[in-house]
Amino acid sequence: MKRSTLYQISLFTACAIVVSCITFLYSRWLHVNPTTVGFTFLLVVLIVSTIWGLRYAIFMALLATLCYNYFFLPPLYQFTIADPQNWIALFAFLFTAVVGSQLSERARREAVASNQRRHEVERLYSFSQQLLASDNVYGLLNSIPRFIVENFGVSTAAMYVDGKQAYFFDIASQTQFPMDQLTAISVRGEPVLDRDNRICFMPLRMGVRSVGAIALGNCTLSRETLEAIGSLAAIAIERAQTVETLTHADAARESERLRSVLLDSVTHEFRTPLTAIKASAETLLSSSSLQPDQRKELLTVINEESDRLNRLIGEAAEVAQLDSHQLELHFELHAVREPIDAAVQSSRMVLQRHPLEIKVPDNLPSVRMDADRICEVLVHLIENAAKYSPPDTPIIIIAELRLGGDVVISVADRGPGIEQMEQDMIFERFYRGRTQRANVQGTGMGLAIAKAIVELHGGTIGVRSQLGRGSVFYFSLPVA
């Protein structure tokens, strides 16, 4: 209060000094006619009205009128006017100065109000953008009081949402706005604006329905702005809750779909090895006159189909581990050749009808990886290449150092190729090519598992393919 009074006194003093300076300038140095002096005073009064306000302009106009009469209208140095025309000039000056000051003050107030509204709209827009950036309900609820303080210049903020707890900007706001006050505002659905203490309570409305309340300390915002804040916060809360509900529903549906697809796929794939094992076992049990070669062949079928069954079970378990983020990797430095040789050894049965070429430079750097998991990736790629390629066509494994510092391992085949639209889809779980799914057995889990393992290593996996000319599956691993 003391500072405001001193500020006003200083402005009144400045007005008096400006009038004194103009009077001294024109009466002592520049001898001009009274009309020039009047226009000068009028111009200064309008400037003061525009910058400082109406009260200072009227004070300056009255003071300028006295000086104009005393120093520039005859008889000079007296507060009398001899010529009646000068009375008209004096009152015209005073009237013009006062009216002009009022008009200038009105324009100034409107400009200030317009700028204030523009700033409020800009702050509301920034506030709405911050609200839209979060889809997590509890994260949003904790952030709204902070967003309000940051955007609207209030000192404290608190919010209550029906069915949930209250959320505060800081300890001071928690002390200033008890929860029962916020609950009462939410129930009544009517704002409470204490302008003397600069405290504002505003319900969060969705149409005519109140979903909570906000409280602001040191609040000078207009009621319209407060209502806009309440509406934006209510809409953002409802939106986040709806998005979260839909996300949970979509996740549940997707989980159910994947469970169903996994069950159907695994059940279908289990039948083939189980049928072969059952038939071989029954033949061995029912026939005692089998030749050693026939007996060995049946036992080989049982052994191979058991391995296949074990692999299918392993893939299903691995998919479950990937879904629950429980797949553990053991990273160590290994030469690139190690997992390649291990994968070739594991895939020797499927490679019997395909010539194999391996091109791995001796100077490749070691890579930090889980060698067993990378071997598993290569086994999936090699088996896919052998499964979808015609007999006696070559399979080529190449490892090279890329310019970006990654080692890229690729497996090339001479299969039918993959359509452009399917090249990204084949890495999804349980997806199999439309033209091959009826001719080639598989679950569609291998490439999805390979992609997950490569990404856990910090690498990428992809495919380049041309219809009728084959495909090249490749993946990268960062160099240690």
Side-chain angles (χ1 to χ4, degrees), residues 34-47:
T35 302
T36 302
V37 178
F39 278 119
T40 302
F41 278 133
L42 183 60
L43 179 62
V44 174
V45 169
L46 293 177
I47 292 174

Side-chain angles (χ1 to χ4, degrees), residues 74 89 301 365-366:
V301 170
S366 298

Side-chain angles (χ1 to χ4, degrees), residues 127 131 141 144-145 148 158-162 165 167 182 185-191 201-216 226-238:
F127 180 58
L131 294 180
L141 294 178
I144 286 178
I148 293 175
M159 181 179 67
Y160 166 75
V161 180
D162 292 346
Q165 62 180 12
Y167 301 88
L182 296 169
I185 296 297
S186 177
V187 172
R188 289 200 302 267
E190 292 295 331
F201 294 89
M202 182 63 60
L204 305 178
R205 287 177 179 163
M206 283 288 295
V208 296
R209 179 170 62 93
S210 177
V211 298
I214 57 171
L216 308 178
L226 291 171
E227 290 179 348
I229 293 172
S231 298
L232 287 173
I235 292 171
I237 293 169
E238 289 290 313

